[in-house]
């Protein structure tokens, strides 16, 4: 049986993680959260007290790191130098700093190579991020670009953490702007991606639509 790669891109709060994990479970596929990889590098950069403007030092941290990337959609663990970092990589410090780290071209080159190696070693895999359909897996069998209104995305994110709606909305807007305007592999919809606006759709509905699309490509 041939390989199946599903690319899921979109801005923060568009439903990427929930949807990607559900689709991976339904396909009995692996799940790769590339955002978690950028977050893990950012965690190490902050741990080592590196200046976020120092691209060379950030790159050195990324190169010297041992990343453990779990790909079980039910339980995708992340470790940094052998230590579990699942909680830390979702914290406000990492979230604030991650766009600066992910804008460093050498960091992207390193992580994209690791992502491609994980994909190449998988029979079926759902990969989520910002540049999967455009850069990491341009030959993916199905490319999905998830969107949702800014208000709805902030609502989803503020229900996941303790921050206010306004603070979350401001953080999302800042991160979207940085992620879409950086020079290296910005957030962009692939020309051949299916766009799905999830503002008014439930999770089950989105998953069902993607499953129907997958039936056509497999
Ligand atoms: O998806 P998540 O919000 O966890 O991603 C965190 C950050 O990682 C994004 O804001 C972006 O800066 C970066 N990222 C990226 N390329 C990807 C995935 C994430 O630059 N493929």
């Amino acid at each position: 049986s041939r390989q199946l790669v599903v690319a899921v891109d979109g801005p923060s709060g568009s439903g990427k993680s929930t949807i990607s994990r559900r689709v991976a479970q339904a396909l009995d596929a692996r799940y790769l959260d590339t955002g978690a990889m950028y977050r893990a590098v950012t965690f190490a950069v902050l741990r080592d007290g590196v200046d976020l403007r120092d691209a060379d030092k950030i790159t050195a941290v990324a190169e010297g790191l041992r990343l453990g990337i779990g790909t079980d959609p039910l339980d995708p663990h992340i470790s940094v130098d052998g230590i579990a970092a699942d909680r830390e990589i979702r914290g406000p410090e990492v979230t604030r700093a991650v766009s600066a780290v992910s804008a460093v071209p050498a960091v992207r080159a390193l992580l994209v190579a690791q992502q491609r190696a994980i994909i190449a070693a998988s029979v079926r895999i759902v990969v989520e991020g910002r540049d999967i359909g455009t850069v990491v897996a341009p030959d993916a069998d199905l490319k999905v670009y998830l969107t949702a209104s800014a208000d709805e995305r902030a609502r989803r994110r503020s229900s996941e953490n303790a921050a206010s709606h306004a603070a979350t909305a401001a953080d999302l807007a800042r991160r979207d702007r940085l992620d879409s305007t950086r020079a290296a592999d910005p957030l962009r919809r692939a020309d051949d991606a299916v766009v799905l606006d999830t503002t008014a759709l439930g999770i089950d509905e989105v998953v069902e639509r993607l499953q129907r699309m997958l039936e056509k490509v497999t």
Side-chain angles (χ1 to χ4, degrees):
S1 61
R2 59 185 264 287
Q3 200 197 18
L4 177 69
V5 178
V6 180
V8 183
D9 290 299
S12 328
S14 57
K16 287 193 309 291
S17 298
T18 308
I19 303 299
S20 300
R21 290 174 65 171
R22 286 278 302 271
V23 170
Q25 283 171 54
L27 290 171
D28 196 19
R30 296 169 87 181
Y31 159 71
L32 179 61
D33 178 359
T34 62
M37 297 173 75
Y38 290 96
R39 287 174 178 274
V41 173
T42 305
F43 166 74
V45 164
L46 297 176
R47 176 198 67 190
D48 294 355
V50 166
D51 186 330
L52 289 173
R53 290 161 302 189
D54 192 336
D56 291 341
K57 286 223 178 77
I58 290 174
T59 302
V61 171
E63 283 170 347
L65 206 65
R66 199 155 47 83
L67 274 188
I69 310 297
T71 56
D72 178 351
L74 287 169
D75 202 15
H77 284 297
I78 300 290
S79 68
V80 177
D81 293 329
I83 297 168
D86 304 283
R87 197 157 28 85
E88 290 81 354
I89 65 168
R90 308 288 166 198
E93 295 85 4
V94 167
T95 299
R96 264 195 302 274
V98 66
S99 292
V101 172
S102 72
V104 176
V107 171
R108 301 202 70 80
L110 197 76
L111 292 188
V112 167
Q114 292 181 20
Q115 291 156 12
R116 287 181 178 153
I118 293 170
I119 294 169
S122 306
V123 178
R124 283 185 299 279
I125 189 162
V126 178
V127 189
E128 69 150 288
R130 303 289 188 290
D131 61 342
I132 310 305
T134 52
V135 175
V136 176
D139 297 330
D141 300 277
L142 178 65
K143 299 181 186 179
V144 186
Y145 190 88
L146 296 181
T147 61
S149 72
D151 198 54
E152 173 63 15
R153 295 193 288 114
R155 198 188 61 73
R156 288 175 188 167
R157 272 297 150 91
S158 53
S159 69
E160 287 167 5
N161 56 46
S164 73
H165 182 86
T168 307
D171 169 67
L172 285 187
R174 185 188 63 90
R175 217 141 52 89
D176 288 350
R177 182 174 49 74
L178 293 171
D179 292 343
S180 345
T181 58
R182 68 175 177 231
D185 309 341
L187 169 65
R188 191 170 67 73
R189 181 180 75 77
D191 295 331
D192 53 350
V194 179
V195 181
L196 210 51
D197 186 333
T198 68
T199 307
L201 294 178
I203 293 163
D204 290 337
E205 203 168 343
V206 178
V207 172
E208 277 163 30
R209 285 194 194 193
L210 297 189
Q211 282 179 302
R212 278 200 295 275
M213 291 176 203
L214 278 161
E215 280 162 17
K216 288 184 200 144
V217 300
T218 52

